[in-house]
Amino acid sequence: ANAKELIYVFIKRLSCKGALLIKGNHKVIFSFPKNAQKYKSEIFKHLNSDFKEEKMDEYYFYVYKLKGYGYFVFYRKDKLDFEIRKALFRVTDKFAKSLLSCEMYENMIEAFRKAKKAEKAKMQFLANMSHEIRTPLNGILGFTKILLKKDLNEDIKRTVQVIDSSSNQLLKIANEILDISKIESKGIEFEIDEFDPLFEFENIVNLFGAKSQEKNLKYNVFIDPRLPVKIKGDKFRLNQVLSNLINNAIKFTESGEINVDIILKNIIQT
């Protein structure tokens, strides 16, 4: 039940003509009927005691203090029996706690609603961003594929291969970010494929040569020639880890050198 439902129960049981729920000493957060607020200024004069009975116009007004919350005021045609007034006074603490619990629950529901709204907005933003990121990347990949089919000298061909590999890597990252189902489930699936480790690693380490030169860092790379021609694994994750390691090494090194050593430890047959 919410706060209004609790008050309606009181109104019905006590045959009230109207009621007001006051938070603190001045804020009316509920009134029934709406014109009950015409008595507000007069009622506020009596908000200084745990209980007050007052006759105004043709009604009897009853003011009960709700500890930790505020005041509950109701009015009716007939005067309340003394025993009923005492019984009501005894349950005011429980009533106050119930109202506070209802308010806390309603606040939680509102916070949850806002969180869901924010989550929906985030998902919409990612969906919109999908087109903005993927379209130019697919354009770059299309042209690199065309260039790789042409008769290029080795240096230019190698440069185009690096552009192609980097663009594929970026597109994969974009797809990972923009996969809403994975964001919601917080699950990551590994894609196991056969790939050439030497080709992949060379493409990655070549990306950071220019960046290390910008900081006047010596950039040393060693890739173990014993690496097999083909291995099975998630090349995207592997490249991602290697990129992060090299990028952080350059980022946090002010002077000196960066050494990237990719060494074969052992081979596990599957």
Side-chain angles (χ1 to χ4, degrees), residues 6 43 68 78 101 172 181:
L6 286 173
I43 289 169
D78 303 319
S101 295
K172 190 100 178 188
S181 64

Side-chain angles (χ1 to χ4, degrees), residues 109-149:
I109 293 296
E110 179 63 17
F112 179 74
R113 187 190 65 79
K114 287 180 179 178
K116 289 291 286 182
K117 187 177 180 181
E119 182 71 12
K120 186 177 179 181
K122 183 182 76 172
M123 294 305 174
Q124 186 61 49
F125 169 75
L126 291 177
N128 292 338
M129 196 171 68
S130 172
H131 175 75
E132 302 299 329
I133 293 176
R134 295 181 195 184
T135 300
L137 279 175
N138 284 319
I140 293 169
L141 286 167
F143 278 107
T144 56
K145 293 292 187 294
I146 293 170
L147 284 171
L148 287 171
K149 290 178 181 179

Side-chain angles (χ1 to χ4, degrees), residues 115-116 118-124 126-127 175-188:
K116 289 291 286 182
E119 182 71 12
K120 186 177 179 181
K122 183 182 76 172
M123 294 305 174
Q124 186 61 49
L126 291 177
N175 288 337
E176 190 73 21
I177 294 170
L178 299 169
D179 190 334
I180 295 175
S181 64
K182 288 181 181 178
I183 291 172
E184 289 179 332
S185 64
K186 297 182 181 178
I188 296 175

Side-chain angles (χ1 to χ4, degrees), residues 48-104:
N48 55 4
S49 59
D50 291 344
F51 169 75
K52 187 77 176 179
E53 180 186 77
E54 190 77 18
K55 182 80 183 312
M56 284 188 280
D57 295 337
E58 72 270 33
Y59 298 118
Y60 288 92
F61 281 75
Y62 296 90
V63 180
Y64 283 88
K65 185 175 183 180
L66 305 175
K67 189 177 179 181
Y69 189 90
Y71 294 87
F72 177 53
V73 182
F74 62 90
Y75 56 94
R76 44 180 280 146
K77 279 278 188 182
D78 303 319
K79 191 173 182 179
L80 269 181
D81 181 77
F82 177 72
E83 291 300 323
I84 295 176
R85 295 204 308 267
K86 282 204 311 182
L88 285 173
F89 188 76
R90 286 196 296 267
V91 300
T92 52
D93 280 353
K94 289 183 180 179
F95 186 38
K97 288 176 181 177
S98 297
L99 288 171
L100 288 168
S101 295
C102 288
E103 194 172 87
M104 187 181 298

Side-chain angles (χ1 to χ4, degrees), residues 147-162:
L147 284 171
L148 287 171
K149 290 178 181 179
K150 294 186 178 294
D151 187 18
L152 305 172
N153 65 48
E154 283 302 313
D155 287 342
I156 295 176
K157 186 175 182 180
R158 192 65 179 163
T159 301
V160 175
Q161 284 176 335
V162 170

Side-chain angles (χ1 to χ4, degrees), residues 199-211:
F199 176 79
E200 295 296 332
F201 295 153
E202 282 184 346
N203 282 337
I204 293 298
V205 296
N206 287 338
L207 293 175
F208 296 93
K211 192 172 182 179

